[in-house]
Amino acid sequence: MAKIIKYSLKCVSCDKEFEPKSSVMTCPECGEFRGTLDVIYPYDEIKSSFTKPLSFYGRDSVYESLLPIMPYDNPACLPPVPVGSTPIFESPALSKILGLNNLWLKDDSRNPSASLKDRASATTLAMANESGASVIAVASTGNAASSLATLAASMSITAMLFVPKTIPRPKLAQLTIHGAKIICLDCDYDSAFDLCQLACKRFGWYNRNTAVNPYTGEGKKTAALEIACSLGESPDVVICPVGDGCILSGIYKGFWDLRKLGLIDKIPRLYGVQASGSAPLVKAFESGNDITPIESVNTIADSISVGYPRDGVKAMRAVKNSSGKFITVSDDQIVKAQQLAASKGGVFVEPAAAAAIAGLLSLNENNEFSKNEKIVTLLTGHGLKDIDTVIKNTKTDIEIMQPDIDIITEKIEKTIRWR
């Protein structure tokens, strides 16, 4: 019997296929921007092995329970620090405010480095480990770098991190405490990305860069696998923030894989939310034109502050094929959504993750959903990732009081409504 090929790599634009063990990461003919690669598994051959109910595959880590649709051969090559299996839960308070009956939050701030990027780092580190690489590099506004630093610290692989000088201090602290090698640059993320690409080629480092490495999307798709396994079905809607587009395209790929295996019967509508000061994909979606990078971006949501969306072609495909949309939200909407999520939903998220909440509010206001649809909002990073932005936009001038019960009583009677 012929051995089943684990997967092939296929150009998103020209459909040319490449061997999985080749050094090719993007299509040489289409280039890095339009020639990102899909990881395609032999679905017809492996479909018969998936005979259990969907919820069965969520009882253990999907990195192992769904191994036939993961690119690495051996789960032992994954970082020893557990990644994924983050909670998904309903939010009664937010549901009541929005008039929705089936609203769910997938909280990926519970990952080891407090962001969804751990999913991509875990998968790419497994692939780097299997290839025998000793150095892995990435360009990042902060989360991908802190994720790689966190997980690489648990393995015998050196992390080289290219970050702009605007990286939030908590994320920079993560890089340093985990002992990563840091290249901090006086430029924006897009320029840091290009420099990291050149360095990887010059020094022969394993390249973890978003979209250029096709396995980043395979890691991020595990969030979709978990959502479906937890709910026992595909939801109707998934909303997530978008910078490079890799999370959104990864979410689509996860549901696409499950549908190819016959484990779900539909792909949810996908809504990608960009900050209004950094929205090249929204511009392309609304105009119907090709994606055009923008030179200057400006948003408090550093994790989605991207002018050159490296996985834009796949992200656009994900939205169009799922009958979804790209929308923008302002920084003011992001701040208000962050405060609402914390005060009414009990979740403290960074601005980029709050963009998804802002998108949920905007879409709901525009009647994009029926009240009984099953809606999942993806929370991609913890609020402590960018505490300076929170302090700047939140009232923190709290009165210091004398430790006297009468004074305290007077204050309470003036400020708290008992009924």
Side-chain angles (χ1 to χ4, degrees):
M1 174 183 270
K3 181 180 178 182
I4 295 175
I5 298 173
K6 178 78 173 179
Y7 62 87
S8 63
L9 298 173
K10 186 176 182 179
C11 177
V12 68
S13 294
C14 73
D15 291 337
K16 185 174 181 179
E17 295 194 23
F18 303 91
E19 292 292 327
K21 299 301 182 182
S22 70
S23 59
V24 173
M25 281 195 168
T26 56
C27 177
E29 295 180 12
C30 297
E32 291 179 355
F33 187 67
R34 299 192 180 281
T36 52
L37 304 181
D38 283 316
V39 181
I40 304 297
Y41 301 92
Y43 302 100
D44 291 339
E45 286 84 353
I46 63 177
K47 186 175 182 179
S48 61
S49 63
F50 291 94
T51 58
K52 304 289 186 181
L54 184 57
S55 59
F56 171 85
Y57 302 101
R59 298 195 303 182
D60 298 311
S61 169
V62 296
Y63 285 87
E64 297 187 28
S65 65
L66 292 169
L67 182 60
I69 54 169
M70 297 305 295
Y72 44 82
D73 294 320
N74 188 351
C77 287
L78 288 161
V81 179
V83 171
S85 301
T86 58
I88 181 171
F89 53 91
E90 292 185 274
S91 177
L94 288 177
S95 295
K96 184 176 181 180
I97 291 170
L98 296 174
L100 299 172
N101 295 333
N102 220 336
L103 174 62
W104 297 76
L105 304 178
K106 174 68 169 170
D107 188 5
D108 251 44
S109 73
R110 310 288 187 92
N111 275 306
S113 79
S115 92
L116 182 144
K117 299 296 179 68
D118 288 345
R119 296 180 180 276
S121 291
T123 304
T124 52
L125 278 165
M127 299 302 288
N129 202 7
E130 288 189 342
S131 72
S134 60
V135 179
I136 182 170
V138 71
S140 168
T141 58
N143 276 341
S146 59
S147 167
L148 190 61
T150 300
L151 298 182
S154 68
M155 307 172 72
S156 298
I157 298 180
T158 299
M160 294 292 303
L161 313 174
F162 288 65
V163 297
K165 66 179 182 180
T166 53
I167 179 175
R169 291 185 301 161
K171 296 178 184 180
L172 183 61
Q174 283 185 293
L175 313 190
T176 55
I177 195 67
H178 288 299
K181 307 301 181 184
I182 305 167
I183 308 294
C184 192
L185 298 162
D186 186 11
C187 63
D188 60 13
Y189 163 70
D190 295 301
S191 297
F193 190 104
D194 291 336
L195 288 164
C196 183
Q197 288 290 101
L198 292 172
C200 285
K201 292 175 183 176
R202 177 166 295 184
F203 297 106
W205 295 335
Y206 189 86
N207 188 337
R208 183 233 179 268
N209 275 329
T210 294
V212 168
N213 186 317
Y215 309 117
T216 55
E218 291 302 285
K220 291 174 183 179
K221 82 177 183 185
T222 59
L225 303 181
E226 290 178 8
I227 289 169
C229 289
S230 296
L231 299 178
E233 62 181 352
S234 173
D236 298 299
V237 170
V238 176
I239 305 167
C240 70
V242 177
D244 267 313
C246 191
I247 292 177
L248 184 64
S249 62
I251 295 297
Y252 174 78
K253 179 58 160 49
F255 288 117
W256 191 83
D257 280 355
L258 291 177
R259 191 175 185 189
K260 292 289 286 185
L261 295 176
L263 291 173
I264 59 173
D265 58 8
K266 67 179 180 182
I267 294 175
R269 301 198 309 279
L270 301 180
Y271 291 89
V273 184
Q274 294 202 289
S276 57
S278 177
L281 291 172
V282 177
K283 182 179 179 180
F285 178 78
E286 291 180 346
S287 68
N289 296 326
D290 290 341
I291 301 166
T292 302
I294 56 179
E295 292 185 4
S296 179
V297 294
N298 182 25
T299 175
I300 61 170
D302 71 287
S303 295
I304 55 173
S305 182
V306 176
Y308 197 148
R310 309 288 170 155
D311 218 10
V313 175
K314 284 185 187 177
M316 191 66 66
R317 176 185 65 183
V319 165
K320 289 181 177 179
N321 286 1
S322 67
S323 300
K325 280 185 179 180
F326 280 108
I327 66 166
T328 60
V329 292
S330 67
D331 280 1
D332 184 56
Q333 287 176 293
I334 290 172
V335 169
K336 291 178 179 177
Q338 184 182 40
Q339 294 168 348
L340 178 67
S343 63
K344 300 299 182 182
V347 287
F348 180 27
V349 295
E350 69 170 332
I357 297 290
L360 167 69
L361 298 173
S362 178
L363 290 164
N364 188 62
E365 186 176 342
N366 290 320
N367 300 311
E368 282 287 333
F369 325 121
S370 69
K371 68 177 183 178
N372 291 319
E373 284 192 297
K374 190 167 288 186
I375 301 164
V376 177
T377 302
L378 191 58
L379 307 180
T380 52
H382 200 279
L384 292 176
K385 286 279 194 173
D386 188 2
I387 196 66
D388 290 340
T389 296
V390 177
I391 292 172
K392 181 180 178 181
N393 292 286
T394 305
K395 183 178 179 181
T396 56
D397 55 337
I398 298 172
E399 177 186 356
I400 306 300
M401 301 176 63
Q402 293 298 314
D404 181 293
I405 188 61
D406 291 330
I407 295 175
I408 294 170
T409 298
E410 183 180 357
K411 176 73 172 181
I412 290 172
E413 290 176 343
K414 287 181 178 179
T415 60
I416 297 180
R417 296 179 180 178
W418 297 102
R419 293 186 177 86

